[in-house]
Amino acid sequence: MAGPGRQWWRDAVIYQVYPRSWADSDGDGIGDLPGITERLPHLAGLGVDAVWLSPFYTSPQRDGGYDVADYRDVDPLFGDLAAFDALVARAHGLGLRVIVDIVPNHSSDAHPWFRAALASPPGSPERARYLFRDGSDEGRLPPNNWTSMFGGPAWTRVTEPDGTPGQWYLHMFDTSQPDFDWTNPEVRDELEDVLRFWLDRGVDGFRIDVAHGLVKFEDLPDTDLTLDANVDATALAPMWDQPGVHEIYRSWRRLADSYAVEGEDADRILCAEAWVLPAQALAQYVRADELHQSFNFEYLMTPWLPDEQRASITRSLAQAGAVGAPQTWVLSNHDVVRHATRLGYPQHPGLQRIAGIGADDPQPDPVLGLRRARAATAVMLALPGSAYLFQGEELGLPEATRLPDESRQDPTWERSGHTQRGRDGCRVPMPWEGDAPSYGFGPGERSWLPQPAEFGALAVDRQRDDPGSTLSLYRALLAVRRTHRLGLGHLTWLDGHPEDVLAFEVTSEDASVTVLANLGTDPLTLPDSADVLLTSAFPGTAGHVGPDETVWLRS
């Protein structure tokens, strides 16, 4: 069991790397594990505590690696197990922990288990690992009315080994991603063994994909198609947030704790990707005997409006605190529009097009978006708890909103009949060198998604030595956050400021820091005595907090 260490995850800043898009070492246009290893010093210099790797497992890549064919090996696109071991060793040598994705809701249809299921008759042990069911209307229609998250029905009918139309299998995502049946002990044992495999290789934890989806309501009844996922309780839908998930995570927590070292700061952590409402339900995932963290998607989706920001932060801290857990903050990831773009709408900032902006959609103001993104990040990194960053946000990268349709690879594009452009816009490869081919992503021009021309001016080498750059701002925010231990602090809202200013103090054992974020249209004048630690503003502003700017003051 864990000893009396610091529990590093309570205030950690963890950086997400999307392996396809981070760095390409061999020139094939796709990022890989050696490329990640080579660029790890960037993260050490940035000041984060850990790196989270999106899937690199053997996969047909129908959904960017979230369709896993072999949970215990590296896809040749990315390298091999030796390359993974080298990455972990290099990261640990730089003081970085390594978190990997685990995809337990579904496998790829290329997984040996699913191939065996297709070759076996209904009712066989092989089919019992997945959710196969007889159809309705004498088998001609799906078993229920569930729809896929990528569009279209959530069921596909198979052809039986004798050539006749047969049963249907459930896939809450792409047809190539059949859902496991988590009532089957064989599934539970297999996924726990997968966790052990990677823990034995030295990983420091797991981000759990679709953590709220493993258990479905008994008998798989029809769902209420009028439910609004943005408002209604998630558990009202029979495929999400069912009580049985908590038994699974209590077992996983015991497994993770068995790898901790007594008296050392060596906890292995579990973080849930769980799109769950209300906040009280999400908090159940991070009770003391379950997971360590769960992403706060309510906060990610909160618009840049003072009342809504204040309410979201207050509610988030209260719900996590009620179960003794740290809150986990995030503004961007590989599934949502980058916040430098999302916040660029003058009206209702942040609400528009969470999951994709197309070339024909209204375009946000990039200058406004970046200014707000810098200010929002300065708010987030002052908040008590842990925080996750998405690759490239430290450069102020915008969403690539004008990708050619023929380049799109997100299955949402095809499944929706070309009506939803999907998530490719936030997954475009990183720019490292402004004047290099593929902006330094690889040794040549190739990149699996085209990079916008504006990425060149935002490359790492263009920002590294510029004190006013977004990269320099992130380094400063993380340094002050670490020095003053803000992630372990306590937040108090401050009175006496205009209603469109977020004003709060974070007090830790080491210091007290006042945060003022101006979400209004008029500058906020600072007193002459103000001791400014840092500001999200671009150089040239002093003595006030301009619109869409945030300052940290020594209290």
Side-chain angles (χ1 to χ4, degrees):
M1 298 296 290
R6 186 176 62 84
Q7 297 185 314
W8 65 272
W9 45 273
R10 285 189 167 270
D11 65 334
V13 177
I14 299 173
Y15 185 103
Q16 180 188 1
V17 163
Y18 194 70
R20 276 178 163 263
S21 300
W22 176 254
D24 168 22
S25 70
D26 58 12
D28 65 356
I30 298 174
D32 48 43
L33 298 186
I36 296 171
T37 303
E38 182 181 355
R39 296 289 189 178
L40 285 175
H42 171 73
L43 298 185
L46 187 62
V48 301
D49 300 289
V51 54
W52 152 35
L53 304 176
S54 291
F56 50 81
Y57 311 113
T58 305
S59 166
Q61 302 296 321
R62 290 281 298 275
D63 183 27
Y66 284 92
D67 49 324
V68 181
D70 186 344
Y71 287 85
R72 298 178 181 83
D73 205 354
V74 174
D75 194 287
L77 276 175
F78 305 124
D80 54 24
L81 285 171
F84 178 82
D85 293 340
L87 187 159
V88 172
R90 178 62 170 147
H92 287 169
L94 291 168
L96 298 167
R97 291 177 168 86
V98 178
I99 311 298
V100 301
D101 242 304
I102 185 71
V103 187
N105 179 71
H106 50 263
S107 75
S108 166
D109 60 1
H111 192 286
W113 273 14
F114 193 72
R115 290 179 173 175
L118 293 180
S120 302
S124 64
E126 290 80 7
R127 288 212 174 171
R129 297 162 173 162
Y130 295 91
L131 288 164
F132 279 87
R133 294 293 185 272
D134 294 331
S136 61
D137 191 23
E138 299 182 346
R140 289 187 290 269
L141 297 177
N144 63 31
N145 69 344
W146 295 5
T147 57
S148 162
M149 295 299 292
F150 291 161
W155 295 91
T156 291
R157 195 175 192 184
V158 304
T159 299
E160 299 297 352
D162 63 4
T164 61
Q167 288 189 306
W168 299 71
Y169 68 90
L170 179 69
H171 50 86
M172 289 307 304
F173 295 89
D174 190 60
T175 56
S176 65
Q177 295 168 296
D179 280 42
F180 286 120
D181 185 348
W182 273 85
T183 66
N184 187 335
E186 191 175 1
V187 172
R188 297 190 179 209
D189 291 346
E190 170 68 4
L191 268 296
E192 287 201 9
D193 192 69
V194 169
L195 297 181
R196 290 189 190 91
F197 178 87
W198 294 105
L199 287 166
D200 288 342
R201 299 194 89 89
V203 307
D204 300 286
F206 300 90
R207 175 265 192 188
I208 305 166
D209 186 60
V210 196
H212 60 307
L214 276 56
V215 176
K216 279 69 173 176
F217 193 87
E218 187 178 5
D219 297 330
L220 311 184
D222 281 354
T223 189
D224 180 353
L225 296 177
T226 68
L227 290 172
D228 184 347
N230 296 312
V231 177
D232 294 315
T234 308
L236 294 175
M239 69 291 291
W240 306 126
D241 192 31
Q242 299 304 307
V245 299
H246 298 290
E247 176 190 345
I248 295 168
Y249 296 137
R250 282 190 286 271
S251 177
W252 285 20
R253 178 60 179 264
R254 290 192 294 271
L255 173 60
D257 284 351
S258 72
Y259 279 81
V261 178
E262 183 70 29
E264 294 185 12
D265 187 16
D267 290 355
R268 311 295 181 93
I269 72 164
L270 303 164
C271 179
E273 183 216 22
W275 291 82
V276 169
L277 291 175
Q280 297 94 320
L282 180 61
Q284 300 305 297
Y285 288 76
V286 290
R287 288 176 289 191
D289 63 343
E290 293 192 38
L291 307 179
H292 301 78
Q293 300 176 333
S294 183
F295 293 126
N296 184 350
F297 293 123
E298 177 190 358
Y299 177 72
L300 181 152
M301 294 186 291
T302 301
W304 186 242
L305 299 170
D307 289 345
E308 298 200 40
Q309 286 281 320
R310 190 177 293 108
S312 177
I313 292 168
T314 300
R315 187 165 51 246
S316 297
L317 288 172
Q319 295 301 334
V323 294
Q327 190 49 263
T328 303
W329 311 96
V330 62
L331 287 170
S332 284
N333 64 34
H334 67 292
D335 284 332
V336 302
V337 174
R338 288 182 175 274
H339 65 284
T341 293
R342 198 173 69 241
L343 296 174
Y345 290 91
Q347 302 298 321
H348 302 293
L351 280 178
Q352 284 90 343
R353 297 167 178 82
I354 291 292
I357 297 175
D360 299 330
D361 294 328
Q363 297 295 302
D365 179 343
V367 176
L368 176 64
L370 180 56
R371 188 166 71 244
R372 285 176 170 168
R374 289 165 60 106
T377 299
V379 170
M380 181 186 79
L381 290 177
L383 298 174
S386 179
Y388 279 72
L389 308 178
F390 179 48
Q391 68 176 45
E393 70 170 83
E394 79 277 17
L395 306 178
L397 293 187
E399 187 83 356
T401 60
R402 292 183 170 85
L403 289 174
D405 287 345
E406 61 271 16
S407 72
R408 297 184 185 278
Q409 300 189 33
D410 187 342
T412 301
W413 173 239
E414 294 294 338
R415 294 276 299 172
S416 68
H418 296 180
T419 61
Q420 298 180 35
R421 288 178 168 83
R423 302 160 295 174
D424 290 322
C426 64
R427 300 176 177 184
V428 173
M430 280 275 288
W432 294 95
E433 301 166 22
D435 295 323
S438 68
Y439 301 126
F441 169 64
E445 296 282 356
R446 300 175 67 183
S447 64
W448 70 281
L449 286 172
Q451 298 159 298
E454 60 264 30
F455 272 29
L458 299 173
V460 172
D461 70 336
R462 297 286 184 86
Q463 297 197 43
R464 185 182 293 119
D465 299 322
D466 177 0
S469 71
T470 302
L471 176 57
S472 293
L473 172 64
Y474 269 71
R475 287 198 302 249
L477 289 167
L478 292 169
V480 175
R481 173 190 165 91
R482 182 189 294 265
T483 297
H484 296 300
R485 305 295 294 278
L486 298 184
L488 298 178
H490 173 78
L491 184 145
T492 303
W493 292 106
L494 302 176
D495 298 324
H497 295 276
E499 62 181 12
D500 51 11
V501 172
L502 289 180
F504 59 89
E505 183 178 61
V506 178
T507 303
S508 70
E509 291 183 0
D510 299 307
S512 291
V513 173
T514 295
V515 178
L516 302 175
N518 184 357
L519 281 65
T521 57
D522 298 321
L524 173 70
T525 301
L526 295 173
D528 293 339
S529 60
D531 185 358
V532 177
L533 288 168
L534 55 80
T535 173
S536 73
F538 293 100
T541 59
H544 66 271
V545 187
D548 299 312
E549 293 176 359
T550 299
V551 298
W552 290 7
L553 308 174
R554 198 183 311 274
S555 298

